[in-house]
Amino acid sequence: MLYPVYVHKDPDTAYGLTFPDFEGCFSAADEMQDIQRMAQEAVECHFDGEDIALPEPSSPEQWIGDERFEGGYWLLVDIDISKVNTKSVRINISMPEALVKRIDAVAKKQHLSRSAFLVKSAEMALQ
């Protein structure tokens, strides 16, 4: 999803990134080609552990005249919200009954629900 990022740079500094749609979220990039990557990383860090919905993107035109955004320029960056959105989604999966029983036994020992155990296991496997 394309979000506006305000970019400001002094001759002897990195590119500063400010995200008007995510209050308090900012970043920097040493090189212009790093702006996209640093923007994604900043948004992921900003929302890490938060269970709040991401706002819809604004447009740079909404911020014209705002004194916080003078002397720089606007970019639209593509934020992969699938890496940010923490909203739970119900899924339906099939697996052997014996495996479900083993999962439930281990989850119980760890004081976890089946869902929590599967999420934890998936996160570990994906690292």
Side-chain angles (χ1 to χ4, degrees), residues 48-119:
D48 186 40
E50 298 293 328
D51 191 20
I52 56 176
L54 269 69
E56 288 296 314
S58 63
S59 69
E61 292 81 13
Q62 287 178 249
W63 305 101
I64 292 175
D66 188 318
E67 61 187 32
R68 295 175 297 167
F69 308 117
E70 292 180 359
Y73 54 93
W74 290 98
L75 292 177
L76 293 176
V77 295
D78 191 13
I79 300 298
D80 182 353
I81 61 172
S82 71
K83 295 180 178 181
V84 180
N85 196 339
T86 59
K87 177 184 172 191
S88 293
V89 177
R90 179 176 288 276
I91 61 171
N92 183 19
I93 61 171
S94 298
M95 61 178 63
E97 184 177 0
L99 179 57
V100 172
K101 288 181 180 184
R102 288 175 48 211
I103 289 169
D104 288 346
V106 173
K108 184 176 180 179
K109 286 180 184 175
Q110 295 181 13
H111 305 288
L112 297 171
S113 66
R114 179 188 297 154
S115 291
F117 176 82
L118 291 173
V119 168

Side-chain angles (χ1 to χ4, degrees), residues 5-18 26-35 37-38 71-73:
V5 173
Y6 178 72
V7 181
H8 49 94
K9 181 168 184 349
D10 293 324
D12 57 343
T13 65
Y15 293 90
L17 311 176
T18 305
F26 54 89
S27 187
D30 290 328
E31 304 292 332
M32 184 168 256
Q33 62 265 23
D34 295 330
I35 289 176
R37 181 176 55 82
M38 297 307 294
Y73 54 93

